[in-house]
Amino acid sequence: MSTSARLLLGALGCCVFFSSCAPKGPPRKETFPVKGEVSVDGQPAGGLAITCNNVAGMDAKMPTVSQTFTKDDGKFEISTYGQGDGVPEGEYTLTFIWGKPDLLHGGYGGPDKLKGRYKDPQKSTIRFKVEKGKPTDLGKIELTTK
């Protein structure tokens, strides 16, 4: 085998070794499915922003944000790291804002059709517990604009 072939093979071996030792990304908390359905004034509410708020507060060591948007039929699956992956163990309240997607800027906002009634986690009456190994079905959540 030629010297250049040995060097190339050695370099390739180093690349494989060091890439296998590379970190796999930040550590993640285990998540468990949380789903439900939202209606506003008796009608399915599509495009509603939902945020989970941990009753114990934000975990300083491994902070997470769990949120989602409702589908047109009002159904939702909450996400933390990836689409519909669920929520870490804990006790939560839900908050809701019903604005519009801003396609130009890639955001969400505008006037809240719920008039801010459901955006304060301290006043939320929608409370639930996520337990290890158990999916959580929140059933149908009824909100109102009145």
Side-chain angles (χ1 to χ4, degrees):
M1 186 182 292
S2 72
T3 304
S4 60
R6 283 189 202 139
L7 287 174
L8 183 60
L9 195 57
L12 182 61
C14 285
C15 288
V16 169
F17 173 77
F18 286 114
S19 68
S20 68
C21 296
K24 305 287 189 238
R28 292 181 169 197
K29 293 179 180 178
E30 189 173 6
T31 57
F32 307 96
V34 176
K35 67 179 184 174
E37 185 176 348
V38 178
S39 67
V40 176
D41 298 331
Q43 299 299 313
L48 194 100
I50 302 173
T51 303
C52 283
N53 307 279
N54 194 315
V55 172
M58 184 66 77
D59 182 346
K61 291 181 184 175
M62 288 182 71
T64 58
V65 176
S66 302
Q67 57 192 5
T68 194
F69 289 94
T70 56
K71 298 175 189 167
D72 289 342
D73 62 1
K75 293 182 180 178
F76 65 87
E77 294 177 345
I78 301 177
S79 307
T80 299
Y81 301 108
Q83 184 65 35
D85 65 345
V87 179
E89 273 185 276
E91 191 169 349
Y92 297 88
T93 61
L94 289 183
T95 53
F96 305 89
I97 297 175
W98 199 8
K100 293 183 181 181
D102 178 351
L103 300 177
L104 181 62
H105 298 99
Y108 183 82
D112 180 7
K113 296 177 199 174
L114 300 171
K115 302 174 182 118
R117 182 177 283 118
Y118 302 100
K119 71 178 188 177
D120 185 348
Q122 303 302 319
K123 294 180 182 177
S124 177
T125 59
I126 313 297
R127 194 174 184 132
F128 65 98
K129 188 172 189 173
V130 175
E131 298 180 69
K132 186 175 180 95
K134 295 182 180 178
T136 303
D137 187 343
L138 300 175
K140 193 165 187 178
I141 300 168
E142 300 279 345
L143 305 178
T144 182
T145 58
K146 300 171 184 152

